[in-house]
Amino acid sequence: MLPLRLFYTYLLFSSKTQSTNLPDIMQPLVSIITVNYDQPEVTSQLLRSLQQIDYPNTEVFVVDNGSPNRGIDSLISEFPDTHFIKSTKNLGFAGGNNLAIEHCKGKYLLFLNNDTEVAPDFLQPLVDCLETQPNAGMASPKIKFFHEENMIQYAGSGKMNPYTGRSFFVGNRQVDQGQFDTTQLTPFIHGAAMLISRKVLQTSGLMDDEFFLYYEEFDWCARAQRDGFTTWYVAESVVWHKESVSTGKYSPLKLYYLTRNRLYFMRRNFPLAQKLMFLSFFTLVSVPKNSLSFLLTRRFDYLNAFWSGLMWNITRKSSLL
């Protein structure tokens, strides 16, 4: 009996040894990047949230995106293990994040909006997805509104509508009752929280900083998918986003970039036939509808922003096609 007991003891010890070695395989280094613009208190809340995660192998970078008034100096002593990078000007969402990439060593890069907070166990499911799913290159977690009780902002996305140049977030403004608890492929990840394989950077390149704001992650997904990568929604991972549940925070600046980049995205990523469908819809429906609406409400600032976004595309390379 003794040799048999020794044999079982060996098996038990061996299994424990393999278990302790598992993190070396399934917990590769993740480089976490966030961008600050005049919001050090908000950024501090995210960093404190990241200090509570159970994933042991990370490095954290904060990029100050040319903050005119309230940069990251107050955070440096509070978070000595965080890497801080300062830009002398506002590079936009893509440019600010891209600035940190050259300093990152991780197999995976996690981009988080500074107005997010994370669940302690949020990172492992994202890594597991990219480690195990065929050709996986990008993944986003389930994202909930921070200030709303259990309300979903993102649980995957729909396809881009070839007529309107718009997509939608699955589950948006629905109470989470487990109806979106299945990890699955999705056309687009969410820019507020996205894990990217270094292979995507090496193959498809960085986010296009020409977008500056909005649509840059959609463009990145489209390019990565053309290069053979798959993009995923990971239901087991949860991040909370402090964006308002309402459609508020609308501004001429936001309208300008949404209009400009909606056109720019379609130009870059759709074949000629679909571009023509989109341009027909945009010219015959969107332009007169928006122009008339802004005129009737005397929102001439919105009218100017809308037309400025349109004209940026018309004058760029002389053609929308």
Side-chain angles (χ1 to χ4, degrees):
M1 292 294 293
L2 183 58
L4 188 59
R5 288 179 181 176
L6 288 174
F7 176 69
Y8 284 136
T9 301
Y10 168 77
L11 288 179
L12 179 61
F13 175 78
S14 176
S15 65
K16 287 182 177 179
T17 302
Q18 291 173 5
S19 176
T20 57
N21 287 336
L22 184 61
D24 296 332
I25 301 171
M26 297 297 289
Q27 294 181 316
L29 178 65
V30 176
S31 302
I32 302 175
I33 302 171
T34 194
V35 176
N36 176 79
Y37 185 78
D38 261 4
Q39 294 179 312
E41 292 89 355
V42 175
T43 303
S44 176
Q45 291 163 8
L46 167 61
L47 295 178
R48 286 196 290 271
S49 172
L50 288 171
Q51 288 178 331
Q52 305 303 313
I53 66 174
D54 58 17
Y55 191 93
N57 197 12
T58 64
E59 56 179 6
V60 180
F61 295 84
V62 176
V63 177
D64 186 70
N65 216 3
S67 296
N69 301 306
R70 307 172 70 234
I72 55 176
D73 289 344
S74 62
L75 303 178
I76 294 174
S77 60
E78 184 180 357
F79 302 98
D81 295 328
T82 298
H83 305 278
F84 292 93
I85 301 169
K86 293 184 180 181
S87 172
T88 57
K89 62 179 181 179
N90 185 354
L91 301 173
F93 177 80
N97 280 294
N98 288 344
L99 189 62
I101 290 176
E102 63 182 277
H103 303 280
C104 295
K105 300 176 182 177
K107 180 179 180 180
Y108 299 111
L109 289 83
L110 176 69
F111 299 86
L112 284 173
N113 276 16
N114 74 317
D115 64 343
T116 59
E117 293 189 24
V118 302
D121 60 351
F122 90 107
L123 188 48
Q124 187 69 61
L126 291 169
V127 172
D128 288 347
C129 178
L130 295 195
E131 286 279 291
T132 60
Q133 296 296 342
N135 303 314
M138 299 176 161
S140 279
K142 180 185 290 182
I143 301 175
K144 298 184 181 183
F145 289 104
F146 185 86
H147 298 293
E148 302 292 330
E149 182 65 29
N150 205 30
M151 184 175 289
I152 296 170
Q153 181 182 26
Y154 170 92
S157 80
K159 294 181 179 180
M160 189 66 67
N161 187 307
Y163 294 99
T164 64
R166 292 193 175 106
S167 179
F168 63 91
F169 293 152
V170 174
N172 185 248
R173 303 187 189 185
Q174 294 187 33
V175 174
D176 187 7
Q177 298 177 326
Q179 69 272 45
F180 303 110
D181 280 357
T182 301
T183 291
Q184 57 190 338
L185 290 165
T186 188
F188 298 108
I189 55 174
H190 194 298
M194 50 186 183
L195 186 69
I196 312 296
S197 170
R198 185 169 290 277
K199 292 180 181 178
V200 170
L201 303 179
Q202 296 166 341
T203 306
S204 307
L206 307 179
M207 278 186 285
D208 181 5
D209 58 14
E210 189 75 80
F211 283 93
F212 197 81
L213 286 173
Y214 307 118
Y215 277 83
E216 56 274 279
E217 74 270 35
F218 293 164
D219 176 76
W220 210 10
C221 283
R223 287 190 284 127
Q225 289 164 7
R226 287 198 296 272
D227 289 330
F229 294 101
T230 55
T231 52
W232 291 83
Y233 157 66
V234 181
E236 298 84 1
S237 176
V238 177
V239 167
W240 290 275
H241 192 193
K242 296 174 184 176
E243 183 175 286
S244 174
V245 70
S246 71
T247 57
K249 299 184 180 179
Y250 206 60
S251 68
L253 181 69
K254 182 174 183 177
L255 176 62
Y256 166 74
Y257 280 112
L258 284 174
T259 304
R260 193 194 84 162
N261 293 343
R262 180 180 166 196
L263 287 159
Y264 185 44
F265 172 86
M266 298 298 286
R267 289 172 51 193
R268 282 170 56 91
N269 294 292
F270 275 66
L272 180 59
Q274 289 181 317
K275 286 180 187 176
L276 291 173
M277 286 193 301
F278 166 72
L279 289 174
S280 298
F281 176 88
F282 192 84
T283 302
L284 298 175
V285 178
S286 294
V287 171
K289 176 184 175 183
N290 283 284
S291 298
L292 182 60
S293 174
F294 297 143
L295 283 170
L296 291 175
T297 56
R298 303 183 65 82
R299 290 308 306 257
F300 303 117
D301 52 346
Y302 284 178
L303 182 66
N304 180 64
F306 178 79
W307 274 93
S308 294
L310 172 60
M311 294 305 299
W312 183 91
N313 282 273
I314 291 175
T315 58
R316 184 180 175 81
K317 297 181 181 178
S318 75
S319 173
L320 289 175
L321 303 178

